[in-house]
Amino acid sequence: MIIETKQPKETAAEYALRVLKENIISLDLAPGSMVSENEIAAQLGISRTPVREALIELSRVGIVQIMPQKGSRINLIDYGMVEESRFLRLVLEREVVKLICMNETRADLSSLEENLRLQNFYVEHAKPEKLLELDNQFHALLFLLADKVQCYGWMMEGLTIHFDRVRSMSLSAVKDIKIVGDHQAIVQALTDRDAELAQQLMEKHLSRYKIDEQAIRELYPTYFC
């Protein structure tokens, strides 16, 4: 498990939840693997209670199964849950790009353009973990530009972890990565203030996991239920 540094204002439970989520999404905690409260607490340097709270939170969204006296199991990937997670994101993100286009004041898209430059760099240097980080940052910036930052936080706290696991797998399984091109097209639509096109492009972008499903399943055949 990859251990991140605890942030200054983070509670122990928030820290445990963040680290567990990051490791589940990155597949360092693989689908089907068992995790121990004691081992995680020791690795993070915290007590068992916040780790238990984090695991309970993850069990509520169906990503972890708590097995009394045995430990906790990272659930296999359920494409039904992935689809529900994608649906949630799509409903919100279609509206976000529409808001950016329809705003009376033209949005400053320089932060998105800088993000895209970094994405292109890491495509060339084959760093899927950095691409996933920048992908998340790209979508967070869209919510920021639409003045809907709180909505992004709510979205990321919920079911989207199911979708994010598959996004992570796609970056490793698919040789011809399309997400950067998708992002560039979305930024161009925002620049042109073409709300309809921006919404169509967002739907296509968030549906890529369906196109990539065969490649993902071939590379990770044991990760699905």
Side-chain angles (χ1 to χ4, degrees), residues 19-39:
V19 171
L20 284 168
K21 276 186 172 182
E22 289 174 358
N23 279 273
I24 289 168
I25 290 168
S26 68
L27 308 179
D28 287 292
L29 288 176
S33 64
M34 297 294 294
V35 293
S36 161
E37 286 181 14
N38 288 333
E39 289 177 8

Side-chain angles (χ1 to χ4, degrees), residues 11-22:
T11 67
E14 288 169 343
Y15 174 48
L17 182 60
R18 177 172 63 85
V19 171
L20 284 168
K21 276 186 172 182
E22 289 174 358

Side-chain angles (χ1 to χ4, degrees), residues 34-37 65-73:
M34 297 294 294
V35 293
S36 161
E37 286 181 14
Q65 179 185 8
I66 296 174
M67 306 168 72
Q69 312 304 321
K70 294 182 180 179
S72 297
R73 179 176 179 267

Side-chain angles (χ1 to χ4, degrees), residues 90-117:
L90 180 59
V91 169
L92 289 172
E93 297 200 46
R94 278 175 56 91
E95 288 304 307
V96 160
V97 293
K98 179 181 177 181
L99 282 172
I100 296 170
C101 290
M102 301 300 290
N103 198 313
E104 290 183 7
T105 305
R106 182 178 288 274
D108 180 359
L109 305 180
S110 58
S111 58
L112 293 176
E113 291 163 353
E114 175 60 25
N115 178 278
L116 284 175
R117 282 192 284 272

Side-chain angles (χ1 to χ4, degrees), residues 61-136:
V61 294
I63 206 76
V64 165
Q65 179 185 8
I66 296 174
M67 306 168 72
Q69 312 304 321
K70 294 182 180 179
S72 297
R73 179 176 179 267
I74 309 300
N75 284 336
L76 296 175
I77 293 169
D78 179 346
Y79 253 94
M81 295 295 286
V82 174
E83 173 54 27
E84 289 202 34
S85 180
R86 181 202 69 91
F87 175 79
L88 174 64
R89 288 195 63 157
L90 180 59
V91 169
L92 289 172
E93 297 200 46
R94 278 175 56 91
E95 288 304 307
V96 160
V97 293
K98 179 181 177 181
L99 282 172
I100 296 170
C101 290
M102 301 300 290
N103 198 313
E104 290 183 7
T105 305
R106 182 178 288 274
D108 180 359
L109 305 180
S110 58
S111 58
L112 293 176
E113 291 163 353
E114 175 60 25
N115 178 278
L116 284 175
R117 282 192 284 272
L118 289 170
Q119 287 187 44
N120 279 308
F121 175 84
Y122 285 112
V123 165
E124 292 175 4
H125 292 78
K127 292 278 188 179
E129 68 281 1
K130 289 297 296 183
L131 268 178
L132 183 63
E133 179 185 327
L134 288 164
D135 187 359
N136 286 333

Side-chain angles (χ1 to χ4, degrees), residues 86-98 100 112 135 138-143 155 163 167 179 181-183 185-187 189-190 194-209:
R86 181 202 69 91
F87 175 79
L88 174 64
R89 288 195 63 157
L90 180 59
V91 169
L92 289 172
E93 297 200 46
R94 278 175 56 91
E95 288 304 307
V96 160
V97 293
K98 179 181 177 181
I100 296 170
L112 293 176
D135 187 359
F138 179 89
H139 289 270
L141 287 169
L142 291 175
F143 280 82
M155 179 181 77
F163 187 51
R167 287 171 56 227
I179 63 164
D182 288 351
H183 289 159
I186 289 167
V187 171
L190 296 178
D194 188 335
E196 184 176 351
L197 178 58
Q199 288 182 302
Q200 291 172 357
L201 290 167
M202 183 59 73
E203 181 164 5
K204 179 182 178 182
H205 174 59
L206 293 177
S207 299
R208 278 216 177 271
Y209 83 95

